């Protein structure tokens, strides 16, 4: 009798369905608890003006009797009546492989200015096993973060076979999925496909990082192929730097189920009683203004809530990687500091090759793991370099790759058990290196110590570039169950970064991974910026930067001027200015005119960067479809805009005779001048800076930036007048 009463209290019969709207200023995800206590998604789209009308949402009347709740389930359990792809699959302590999840209670509360968090507790009626679904809603930015916490108090451990972060459900006639795949130096290439019946899976199994082949992000356009500024688009990206999995499953009525989370591949997780298993968040936004609207929402969210110092400034820098590779010594570096100062950048970044003694790091085959200054190259140590740089009027930063080890290193000899490898198979290397087992707390302490030591010895160190060049081969941990390695590696990495950020909250840090293999919002909560690609050819970069801009803001994109390709310095600089400008070039070998231009460009950049960093991005013309790529950054107050256009094609007369490009995001009632900037010394602009246009004219008719063979890139400053 007592037991029955308890069950009734915990799982009341639902007299009427309960609606749980998760709202932002413009969007709503509405979850309904049905009469039996199951959670279904009944709306994901525009916010309704009358919240009372959420009760009228039809739900899944079209679906089969008695089975509807599974199609639209807000967190689909496996093993009972469900026959669809599950969000969660578990084997209970008694060996029972089934789950049912019923509503217990929910709570919505503010967690900061403009942020609410809704937690919905679900419980299995047969087992002390529960899942809390979390939805953090960022009102102004229209962004949701969705994740889950799984826990139980069964007598023994439970095995989790699958553990999605989010389970969404959309209703439309057709779905067009844009996903981003690639390879080293050819990152994030978009490809769009119409979804058909069955399941489309995007995933990765690289271990240390989410991407290389497939990036953890997608755009899903409803009813039509994705458009830049119109149409309904759901943009999503997983905040996790390891294996991920997105599954898109069409139901028989053409509604779409979406499951996103860590990849369950080789990761069945043993969860002890009383412990929480928390999944990483899916970051998503629903836009009614196409991909452009989705990107602007994500950018604002990232600057306001995710990336350290997202609303602050960034340092321009001179990096020595493409300038010297491993071939430098102290005098050469001291020269480079002076060059950096002459150029006018804020910081000098010393890249790979500064460490290792018994196994000197003179190429990528040795030394990784031995984080002591190489005495032959740097006889006076890093402290001396920091001082010399500061004496030359420039800050000093350094490259590290602390998660990795070359077999030819003292570290490998001393701690072979710290290396991820299989006891009975030959070691497998990726870029001649292996991965340290960050699931091991001792390794976490070591990695933390590498960075902490650098700062302890050099407190004025101004910047860290954190690299991660290898994937995990032979996934096996000597100290941890092998199938926990992928999950615990990522958690171990974040634990280290968490500790570092607690002690060094403000130091700028660049996230790099053999180019752009680790660009995700999991890692980006610790890093001020990311390296998009080792491909620094400027035309290639227009594509790469354009594609990343779908999800990540300009302030975080490290774009360096290098000698890659044959484009003139102006083109290279204009491309790099689209985000955080840097250089990776031998300044002393620059022609005088190029140097003079670059010195001036840095001053121009200092004037433009508040708009580039904090403005709204409008992608006016895509390099994928146009000879001329064009993007515009507009300040919040709509009083200033920076407009970049680049000639992408080198075909005969490419760029010529193109219609005017219509601007976006300006105030139609404001009046603006349009002035060309960042010109080569002595060159004249065909754009008349004295003409005053209305915002309406610029957006309805547009203007020709006059890009062509002789003018392969153009930067225009659009300034409101007479305010
Ligand atoms: C990776 C990075 C480069 C550079 C090298 C150094 O490839 O992406 O920028 O730092 O490592 O070895």
């Amino acid at each position: 009798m007592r037991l029955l009463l308890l069950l009734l209290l915990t799982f009341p019969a639902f007299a009427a369905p309960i609606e749980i709207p998760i709202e932002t200023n413009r969007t709503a995800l509405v979850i309904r608890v049905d009469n039996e206590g199951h959670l279904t998604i009944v709306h994901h789209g525009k916010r309704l003006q009358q919240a009372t009308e959420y009760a009228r949402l039809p739900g899944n009347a079209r679906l089969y009797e008695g089975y509807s709740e599974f199609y639209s389930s807000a967190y689909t359990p496996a093993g009972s009546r469900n026959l669809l792809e599950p969000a969660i699959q578990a084997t209970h302590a008694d060996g029972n492989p089934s789950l049912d999840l019923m509503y217990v209670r929910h709570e919505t509360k503010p967690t900061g200015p403009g942020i609410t968090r809704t937690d919905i507790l679900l419980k299995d009626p047969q087992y002390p096993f529960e899942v809390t679904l979390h939805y953090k809603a960022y009102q102004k930015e229209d962004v949701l973060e969705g994740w889950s916490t799984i826990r139980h108090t069964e007598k023994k451990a439970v095995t989790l076979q699958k553990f999605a972060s989010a389970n969404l459900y959309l209703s439309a006639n057709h779905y067009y999925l844009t996903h981003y795949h690639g390879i080293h130096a050819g990152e994030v290439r978009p490809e769009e496909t119409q979804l058909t019946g069955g399941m489309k899976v995007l995933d990765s199994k690289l271990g240390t990082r989410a991407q290389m082949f497939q990036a953890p992000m997608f755009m899903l356009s409803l009813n039509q192929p994705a458009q830049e500024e119109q149409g309904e688009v759901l943009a999503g990206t997983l905040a996790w730097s390891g294996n991920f999995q997105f599954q898109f499953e069409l139901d028989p009525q053409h509604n779409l189920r979406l499951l996103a989370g860590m990849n369950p591949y080789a990761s069945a997780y043993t969860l002890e009683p009383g412990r929480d298993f928390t999944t990483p968040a899916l970051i998503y936004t629903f836009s009614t203004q196409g991909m452009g609207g989705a990107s602007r929402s994500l950018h604002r969210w990232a600057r306001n809530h995710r990336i350290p110092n997202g609303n602050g400034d960034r340092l321009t820098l001179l990096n020595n990687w493409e300038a010297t590779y491993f071939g430098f010594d102290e005098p050469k570096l001291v020269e480079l500091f002076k060059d950096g100062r002459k150029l006018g950048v804020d910081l000098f970044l010393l890249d790979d090759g500064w460490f290792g003694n018994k196994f000197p790091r003179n190429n990528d085959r040795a030394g990784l793991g031995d984080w002591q200054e190489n005495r032959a190259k740097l006889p006076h140590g890093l402290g001396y370099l920091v001082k010399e740089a500061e004496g030359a009027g420039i800050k000093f930063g350094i490259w590290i790759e602390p998660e990795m080890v070359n077999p030819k290193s003292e570290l490998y000899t001393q701690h072979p058990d710290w290396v991820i490898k299989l006891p009975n198979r030959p070691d497998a290397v990726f870029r001649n290196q292996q991965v340290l087992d960050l699931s091991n707390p001792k390794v976490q302490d070591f990695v933390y110590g590498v960075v902490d030591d650098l700062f302890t010895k050099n407190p004025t160190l101004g910047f860290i570039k954190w690299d991660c060049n290898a994937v995990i081969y032979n996934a096996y941990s000597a100290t941890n169950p092998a199938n926990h390695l992928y999950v615990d590696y990522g958690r171990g990495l974040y634990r280290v970064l968490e500790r570092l950020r607690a002690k060094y909250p403000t130091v700028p840090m660049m996230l790099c991974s053999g180019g752009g293999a680790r660009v995700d919002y999991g890692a980006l909560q610790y890093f001020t910026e990311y390296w998009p690609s080792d491909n620094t050819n400027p035309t290639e970069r227009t594509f790469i930067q354009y594609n990343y801009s779908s999800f990540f803001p300009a302030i975080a994109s490290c774009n360096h001027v290098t000698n890659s390709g044959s484009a003139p310095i102006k083109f290279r600089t204009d491309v790099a200015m689209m985000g955080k400008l840097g250089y990776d070039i031998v300044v002393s070998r620059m022609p005088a005119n190029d140097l003079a231009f670059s010195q001036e460009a840095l001053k121009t950049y200092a004037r433009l960067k508040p708009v580039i960093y904090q403005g709204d991005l409008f992608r006016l013309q895509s390099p994928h479809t146009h000879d001329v790529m064009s993007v515009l950054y507009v300040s919040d107050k709509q009083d200033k805009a920076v407009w970049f256009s680049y000639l992408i094609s080198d075909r005969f007369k490419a760029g010529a005779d193109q219609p005017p490009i219509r601007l976006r995001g300006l105030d139609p009632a404001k009046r603006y001048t349009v002035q060309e900037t960042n010109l080569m010394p002595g060159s004249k602009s065909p754009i008349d800076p004295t003409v005053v246009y209305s915002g309406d004219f610029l957006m309805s008719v547009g203007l020709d930036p006059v890009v062509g063979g002789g003018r392969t890139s153009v930067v225009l400053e659009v300034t409101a007048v007479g305010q």
Side-chain angles (χ1 to χ4, degrees):
M1 183 65 194
R2 267 184 66 194
L3 181 69
L4 184 68
L5 193 65
L6 196 70
L7 279 174
L8 284 177
L9 282 177
T10 319
F11 301 105
F14 292 89
I18 305 170
E19 265 78 37
I20 309 173
I22 293 152
E23 294 178 315
T24 66
N25 284 356
R26 287 176 294 186
T27 68
L29 171 71
V30 183
I31 294 170
R32 177 173 292 159
V33 185
D34 70 12
N35 291 329
E36 287 162 5
H38 289 119
L39 239 61
T40 59
I41 294 180
V42 286
H43 179 68
H44 192 173
K46 261 173 98 166
R47 175 180 176 157
L48 300 186
Q49 286 172 10
Q50 310 285 332
T52 47
E53 291 198 312
Y54 289 136
R56 297 209 175 122
L57 288 164
N60 295 323
R62 286 188 297 155
L63 294 177
Y64 301 123
E65 183 81 16
Y67 204 68
S68 302
E69 78 270 16
F70 291 116
Y71 288 115
S72 57
S73 167
Y75 205 68
T76 324
S80 46
R81 282 172 52 241
N82 167 45
L83 303 172
L84 303 163
E85 183 62 25
I88 180 166
Q89 186 179 4
T91 307
H92 295 284
D94 64 3
N96 184 307
S98 70
L99 266 179
D100 191 7
L101 292 171
M102 310 274 280
Y103 172 84
V104 178
R105 62 173 175 270
H106 78 278
E107 184 182 33
T108 299
K109 54 180 183 199
T111 57
I115 310 171
T116 59
R117 176 167 151 177
T118 302
D119 293 330
I120 309 176
L121 178 65
L122 309 175
K123 203 165 175 305
D124 191 309
Q126 300 299 335
Y127 289 92
F129 183 103
E130 57 187 50
V131 175
T132 307
L133 303 181
H134 311 278
Y135 302 87
K136 215 169 181 184
Y138 297 85
Q139 307 303 315
K140 251 188 349 176
E141 296 85 0
D142 294 310
V143 167
L144 296 186
E145 261 184 70
W147 75 101
S148 57
T149 306
I150 303 163
R151 71 179 80 78
H152 70 92
T153 49
E154 299 187 19
K155 290 207 168 63
K156 285 190 294 186
V158 162
T159 307
L160 301 177
Q161 276 97 4
K162 192 166 182 200
F163 26 77
S165 301
N167 183 166
L168 300 177
Y169 190 65
L170 290 148
S171 207
N173 289 313
H174 305 286
Y175 305 88
Y176 292 83
L177 173 69
T178 303
H179 59 102
Y180 300 80
H181 65 109
I183 191 74
H184 176 248
E187 289 85 350
V188 291
R189 294 177 175 155
E191 204 162 60
E192 186 171 51
T193 180
Q194 183 175 356
L195 293 175
T196 54
M199 190 140 67
K200 171 85 181 171
V201 180
L202 306 176
D203 80 339
S204 79
K205 304 181 184 76
L206 306 169
T208 52
R209 57 215 206 175
Q211 69 154 307
M212 180 158 80
F213 307 136
Q214 194 75 247
M217 55 211 205
F218 66 87
M219 291 260 181
L220 190 71
S221 177
L222 306 190
N223 298 317
Q224 57 173 8
Q227 309 289 309
E228 186 56 35
E229 291 294 344
Q230 57 99 357
E232 296 186 326
V233 168
L234 176 78
T237 178
L238 191 73
W240 178 243
S241 309
N243 301 349
F244 73 93
Q245 187 188 62
F246 297 151
Q247 295 168 306
F248 303 85
E249 186 178 29
L250 277 186
D251 77 18
Q253 272 76 26
H254 297 287
N255 297 310
L256 188 77
R257 311 179 63 244
L258 162 50
L259 302 142
M262 292 188 277
N263 197 337
Y265 167 75
S267 294
Y269 207 94
T270 317
L271 184 64
E272 298 297 333
R275 306 291 292 265
D276 283 2
F277 185 94
T278 304
T279 63
L282 180 74
I283 316 291
Y284 55 105
T285 183
F286 189 91
S287 159
T288 53
Q289 288 162 354
M291 295 192 289
S295 302
R296 288 186 290 278
S297 295
L298 289 171
H299 295 172
R300 272 186 234 123
W301 169 82
R303 292 193 302 259
N304 292 339
H305 303 290
R306 180 54 56 122
I307 296 177
N309 200 20
N311 289 309
D313 200 3
R314 293 292 183 274
L315 301 172
T316 55
L317 59 81
L318 175 66
N319 186 195
N320 72 313
W321 177 240
E322 289 187 36
T324 66
Y325 294 106
F326 295 94
F328 55 82
D329 58 15
E330 222 166 62
K332 199 160 178 178
L333 291 179
V334 173
E335 278 310 304
L336 291 179
F337 301 159
K338 290 183 190 147
D339 287 351
R341 176 69 182 155
K342 192 159 136 202
L343 181 62
V345 295
D346 303 315
L347 179 126
F348 178 83
L349 170 61
L350 175 59
D351 215 283
D352 195 356
W354 58 267
F355 48 89
N357 284 301
K358 190 165 173 201
F359 300 95
R361 180 79 171 166
N362 292 327
N363 51 51
D364 63 19
R365 292 189 295 278
L368 211 49
D370 300 346
W371 299 103
Q372 323 90 29
E373 296 95 325
N374 175 280
R375 281 187 293 276
K377 284 184 191 169
L378 309 179
H380 299 98
L382 284 177
Y384 168 82
L385 288 179
V386 177
K387 270 207 204 84
E388 282 294 304
E390 286 169 356
I394 196 165
K395 293 184 179 172
F396 183 82
I398 199 152
W399 177 98
I400 49 170
E401 195 183 1
E403 298 159 68
M404 304 283 161
V405 63
N406 281 126
K408 277 193 195 164
S409 67
E410 292 183 72
L411 181 69
Y412 192 105
T413 322
Q414 288 156 7
H415 295 287
D417 54 319
W418 285 5
V419 180
I420 295 176
K421 54 184 182 150
L422 281 165
N424 58 352
R425 296 200 187 273
D427 277 15
V429 291
F430 187 102
R431 205 201 185 200
N432 307 305
Q433 65 196 53
Q434 283 167 271
V435 182
L436 296 177
D437 180 3
L438 262 183
S439 76
N440 179 346
K442 283 190 189 138
V443 177
Q444 292 167 19
D445 287 344
F446 167 80
V447 173
Y448 172 83
V450 170
V451 188
D452 191 39
D453 272 7
L454 282 169
F455 282 116
T456 307
K457 290 186 190 137
N458 310 287
T460 58
L461 197 62
F463 190 90
I464 293 280
K465 175 179 175 184
W466 181 303
D467 213 336
C468 162
N469 278 300
V471 298
I472 293 180
Y473 285 145
N474 291 337
Y476 177 80
S477 169
T479 54
N480 204 17
N483 49 357
H484 286 197
L485 179 61
Y486 288 131
V487 170
D488 287 351
Y489 187 96
R491 289 176 174 172
L493 172 68
Y494 292 163
R495 211 164 286 141
V496 171
L497 290 165
E498 197 74 52
R499 275 171 80 187
L500 285 171
R501 273 305 183 199
K503 189 156 176 196
Y504 308 103
T506 57
V507 66
M509 297 211 293
M510 184 203 289
L511 172 62
C512 177
S513 180
R518 202 185 243 173
V519 184
D520 64 76
Y521 280 124
L524 276 172
Q525 57 193 311
Y526 308 105
F527 291 86
T528 48
E529 51 221 81
Y530 68 87
W531 182 237
S533 177
D534 281 348
N535 189 338
T536 58
N537 174 297
T539 304
E540 291 285 329
R541 271 299 183 121
T542 56
F543 287 85
I544 294 170
Q545 292 168 197
Y546 187 93
N547 297 335
Y548 275 113
S549 83
S550 290
F551 297 86
F552 303 98
I555 189 171
S557 175
C558 297
N559 307 336
H560 291 182
V561 176
T562 73
N563 276 330
S564 173
S566 55
I569 187 77
K570 173 171 165 53
F571 187 86
R572 288 180 272 154
T573 310
D574 289 350
V575 171
M577 274 196 182
M578 253 194 291
K580 207 217 87 165
L581 174 67
Y583 290 80
D584 199 338
I585 202 163
V586 184
V587 178
S588 60
R589 283 196 223 126
M590 284 172 99
N593 214 32
D594 285 14
L595 179 60
F597 164 80
S598 304
Q599 288 165 328
E600 207 44 46
L602 275 156
K603 290 180 198 146
T604 306
Y605 182 69
R607 186 177 73 246
L608 304 181
K609 69 182 180 181
V611 181
I612 298 169
Y613 288 174
Q614 310 301 341
D616 265 340
L617 170 68
F618 293 86
R619 291 180 292 254
L620 306 176
Q621 292 192 175
S622 161
H624 297 282
T625 49
H626 291 73
D627 287 350
V628 173
M629 164 180 160
S630 197
V631 295
L632 181 77
Y633 298 83
V634 183
S635 72
D636 234 19
K637 291 190 187 136
Q638 297 169 298
D639 57 352
K640 186 105 200 160
V642 184
W643 178 14
F644 295 98
S645 301
Y646 312 94
L647 186 68
I648 301 302
S649 165
D650 60 359
R651 299 204 61 185
F652 179 62
K653 286 193 89 182
D657 307 327
Q658 66 157 0
I661 298 176
R662 291 182 194 163
L663 303 194
R664 288 187 168 271
L666 302 177
D667 180 344
K670 280 201 168 86
R671 287 148 28 95
Y672 298 91
T673 57
V674 179
Q675 177 159 21
E676 184 161 359
T677 188
N678 225 29
L679 286 155
M680 285 303 285
S683 67
K684 291 220 161 27
S685 172
I687 312 285
D688 182 350
T690 63
V691 183
V692 177
Y693 301 92
S694 67
D696 174 42
F697 181 91
L698 290 171
M699 294 194 289
S700 307
V701 178
L703 208 69
D704 180 4
V706 200
V707 176
R711 285 164 55 79
T712 54
S713 64
V714 174
V715 185
L716 294 162
E717 239 176 306
V718 182
T719 313
V721 291
Q723 299 304 304

